[in-house]
Amino acid sequence: MDIYSMIQTLLNRGIDLGLIEECDEMYARNQLLSLLNLADFPEKVEGSVDVRIPDLLEMILQYAEDHHIVGELDAEKDILSSKLMNVLIQRPSDVNRRFYEYYEEDPKCATDYFYQLSQNSNYIQTKNIAKNINYKTETMYGDLDITINLSKPEKDPRQIALERERKHYVTYPKCLLCPENEGYEGRIGHPARSNHRVIGMTLGQEPWYLQYSPYVYYNEHCIALSKEHRNMKVTPEAFRRLLDFVHMFPHYFLGSNADLPIVGGSILSHDHYQGGNYQFAMEKAQEEFAFELRDHPDVAAATVKWPMSVIRLRSGNPDSLVDAASRVLHEWQGYSDEEVDILAFTDGTPHNTITPIARRNGEDYELDLVLRNNRTSEEHPMGIFHPHSDVHHLKKENIGLIEVMGLAVLPARLKSELEEMEKYLIGEENGLKEYHQEWADDIKARYGAGLHGENVRAVLRQELGSKFQRILEDAGVFKRNHKGREAFQKFCKLFS
């Protein structure tokens, strides 16, 4: 397919998917020609009908590299790719207008439209996401989700060097979550966002925006972000914004990472939440110890059967729910129980916070409050309530919102490492990493001759799920033993 056929095919796909209308075709064609340094276009060009947009873009970018329109670095190609797709997307005002027209019909129609647009525009990296390894594994807490993240390509060393060199050269936008990223060309060290669109909304009487994650980890993985660039904080106002969102989009959940290092997410410098149209194992987990809230009789409260320490609040009155959650937050921030290693402060430095998740349950609103503590010790320098050193061969990063709810996001290196481990387990020549040796030997000792080529992968996946369960149990502040349960109930009785 020559470059003109590629352009025509891209235009055809844009029309077919509703990104542009037929009357936009000539304008869009000329914009694409300009970006590719082409001065003319043949009279008769045949476009293909069965090529997906991500594949088309790869072919066009190869042409651009061959003709020295872009260099070899992925960042340069991403910038051009984003610009090409921007030609086929409406302006933000039109996208927002159409979104709210759909919203008047039904909130789900609105998000369906925006999610499809974000995929069709190649903002959501569907081709790369398809590379991820995803499966569920059965545990005593329900089916946990496992993802080995292969969607983000490794960076060229030359690009890494350029990023380091230019690290402090430009400070606009301030971060990857600022709304100023909408339509931003991008640069080395800051991703291309020409094809990025956000939806304006009001949460807690403040201007916020809705977008989707470029690398979705679950269905309709969305991000709500503050217009103001400010640090993320878990506060009563945050509870209000979470409930405002699920009132607006009752088919979505929305949660916040914790707001302290170690137990918080990767970006604490911009106030934001993550949500989507997906039911995690934690949502389906059974309630265990029910207790009354003396100051909020219209709010039901219970602990949850989950490896981490969760208090679930439910009410038809969101105002009462905000007040009740605020009381739990206030008590937890100052709570210590040395019998179970929980200290609220060390020399004035706070350790306790909450990971909150909001959802609708019929006519009721629910808030799951996951208790977190980021204290470290000599034995556990990365965190007492953090994955312990014996599981660092799988994951030692922060346990953020997504993991808290039951979805493991594991590093790409595990794909090849687990393949070598499979060979080791069935006695084939292998390149097993030394840091997996103890785990592999334990599995081999327990399964013995029962391991063979037909079942080894299934066994290893189940064992990986069990390890993720352990990781979550490490992060739980009240352990799931008799002593831990009694200590958790003692805390809950403060509210009765």
Side-chain angles (χ1 to χ4, degrees):
M1 193 186 301
D2 65 20
I3 186 59
Y4 300 108
S5 295
M6 296 178 205
I7 290 172
Q8 188 59 53
T9 302
L10 186 59
L11 293 169
N12 293 348
R13 294 297 292 142
I15 293 170
D16 291 343
L17 293 169
L19 293 172
I20 59 173
E21 298 179 21
E22 287 189 19
C23 63
D24 298 320
E25 183 177 354
M26 286 185 290
Y27 169 82
R29 176 201 298 157
N30 290 330
Q31 296 298 306
L32 295 173
L33 291 175
S34 174
L35 289 170
L36 295 168
N37 296 343
L38 296 169
D40 61 3
F41 195 81
E43 281 193 24
K44 292 184 179 179
V45 177
E46 292 294 327
S48 179
V49 294
D50 58 355
V51 184
R52 296 171 61 250
I53 283 179
D55 297 323
L56 265 174
L57 290 173
E58 282 189 3
M59 291 188 284
I60 294 172
L61 291 173
Q62 187 60 58
Y63 168 89
E65 182 181 343
D66 293 343
H67 291 76
H68 309 293
I69 298 167
V70 294
E72 298 177 0
L73 296 182
D74 288 339
E76 297 173 286
K77 296 176 186 176
D78 289 344
I79 287 171
L80 178 58
S81 175
S82 183
K83 286 181 176 179
L84 292 169
M85 289 311 302
N86 185 49
V87 170
L88 303 181
I89 312 172
Q90 293 179 316
R91 288 177 177 271
S93 57
D94 293 323
V95 172
N96 274 260
R97 186 179 304 110
R98 183 175 289 190
F99 179 90
Y100 281 105
E101 286 173 355
Y102 281 117
Y103 186 86
E104 287 299 313
E105 181 181 336
D106 181 71
K108 189 175 184 304
C109 290
T111 54
D112 284 350
Y113 155 72
F114 189 45
Y115 190 56
Q116 197 65 52
L117 174 69
S118 300
Q119 292 179 93
N120 292 338
S121 67
N122 205 48
Y123 175 73
I124 295 177
Q125 299 285 309
T126 54
K127 186 168 184 176
N128 286 330
I129 293 163
K131 300 174 184 175
N132 289 346
I133 296 171
N134 302 293
Y135 65 92
K136 292 180 181 290
T137 184
E138 186 178 344
T139 74
M140 62 183 291
Y141 302 105
D143 292 340
L144 301 182
D145 290 295
I146 307 294
T147 292
I148 297 178
N149 182 19
L150 304 171
S151 58
K152 294 184 181 180
E154 292 187 19
K155 292 181 180 179
D156 187 306
R158 293 169 296 175
Q159 184 171 321
I160 294 172
L162 277 173
E163 288 181 15
R164 191 178 297 118
E165 179 185 323
R166 303 179 187 182
K167 187 172 182 181
H168 302 294
Y169 185 64
V170 180
T171 58
Y172 176 90
K174 292 185 178 72
C175 77
L176 298 178
L177 289 175
C178 283
E180 287 82 2
N181 282 281
E182 185 177 39
Y184 186 66
E185 179 184 55
R187 60 181 187 271
I188 301 295
H190 192 104
R193 291 290 183 260
S194 295
N195 59 338
H196 179 39
R197 299 292 184 268
V198 297
I199 300 296
M201 58 184 176
T202 300
L203 300 179
Q205 300 182 328
E206 290 183 345
W208 280 62
Y209 296 93
L210 172 69
Q211 67 174 64
Y212 289 101
S213 170
Y215 295 98
V216 296
Y217 291 129
Y218 51 85
N219 188 47
E220 298 177 50
H221 179 180
C222 70
I223 301 171
L225 53 100
S226 169
K227 180 178 181 179
E228 179 185 354
H229 180 77
R230 67 188 185 209
N231 289 343
M232 188 170 66
K233 295 294 293 180
V234 176
T235 62
E237 291 75 23
F239 299 145
R240 169 60 64 192
R241 290 189 287 267
L242 294 176
L243 292 174
D244 280 356
F245 182 92
V246 297
H247 175 78
M248 188 174 181
F249 303 106
H251 57 299
Y252 275 10
F253 78 89
L254 193 69
S256 173
N257 269 299
D259 54 356
L260 292 178
I262 297 177
V263 296
S266 57
I267 301 179
L268 299 179
S269 61
H270 195 107
D271 207 0
H272 74 286
Y273 312 126
Q274 295 182 77
N277 188 6
Y278 189 72
Q279 190 178 46
F280 289 88
M282 191 178 80
E283 179 182 345
K284 294 181 275 190
Q286 298 175 356
E287 296 178 1
E288 286 189 313
F289 174 68
F291 58 97
E292 294 183 356
L293 302 176
R294 63 177 178 271
D295 296 330
H296 302 91
D298 58 341
V299 177
T303 64
V304 176
K305 184 183 178 182
W306 191 244
M308 298 182 71
S309 306
V310 184
I311 292 175
R312 178 167 294 161
L313 305 179
R314 182 187 304 110
S315 178
N317 184 337
D319 295 330
S320 292
L321 206 51
V322 170
D323 290 344
S326 302
R327 172 76 193 286
V328 174
L329 174 66
H330 176 73
E331 290 289 346
W332 177 244
Q333 285 173 328
Y335 189 77
S336 295
D337 187 342
E338 294 188 36
E339 291 292 315
V340 287
D341 289 327
I342 295 170
L343 294 179
F345 298 94
T346 300
D347 298 328
T349 300
H351 296 306
N352 288 348
T353 187
I354 280 175
T355 298
I357 302 104
R359 69 181 74 89
R360 296 292 294 274
N361 186 339
E363 294 299 312
D364 286 340
Y365 297 81
E366 280 185 356
L367 271 174
D368 279 355
L369 306 178
V370 188
L371 308 182
R372 313 298 303 275
N373 177 289
N374 77 342
R375 194 163 70 88
T376 61
S377 68
E378 190 172 321
E379 181 184 2
H380 301 295
M382 296 187 70
I384 297 171
F385 305 104
H386 181 82
H388 291 172
S389 58
D390 62 320
V391 293
H392 286 179
H393 63 106
L394 296 174
K395 184 177 178 67
K396 59 183 177 181
E397 297 83 9
N398 297 3
I399 299 303
L401 173 68
I402 295 172
E403 284 94 354
V404 163
M405 295 184 292
L407 192 159
V409 182
L410 300 173
R413 63 176 171 82
L414 286 178
K415 179 181 184 293
S416 58
E417 292 178 6
L418 293 177
E419 288 170 354
E420 295 304 313
M421 190 165 165
E422 288 176 15
K423 296 175 187 176
Y424 174 80
L425 291 173
I426 58 175
E428 294 181 357
E429 187 176 342
N430 62 85
L432 179 68
K433 293 290 186 182
E434 184 179 347
Y435 46 73
H436 292 314
Q437 186 72 55
E438 184 178 346
W439 183 37
D441 287 342
D442 174 65
I443 294 173
K444 206 166 190 177
R446 285 187 287 114
Y447 286 88
L451 286 169
H452 49 78
E454 294 181 4
N455 75 349
V456 66
R457 178 157 299 179
V459 167
L460 192 50
R461 286 187 169 190
Q462 183 63 44
E463 291 295 321
L464 183 58
S466 297
K467 278 279 190 176
F468 178 48
Q469 174 185 317
R470 238 296 310 285
I471 286 169
L472 294 182
E473 288 170 343
D474 284 349
V477 292
F478 295 108
K479 301 307 178 187
R480 294 207 45 92
N481 51 34
H482 180 71
K483 183 178 180 180
R485 285 191 180 92
E486 281 197 338
F488 196 2
Q489 292 180 19
K490 176 184 169 185
F491 173 71
C492 294
K493 288 174 182 176
L494 292 175
F495 308 101
S496 299

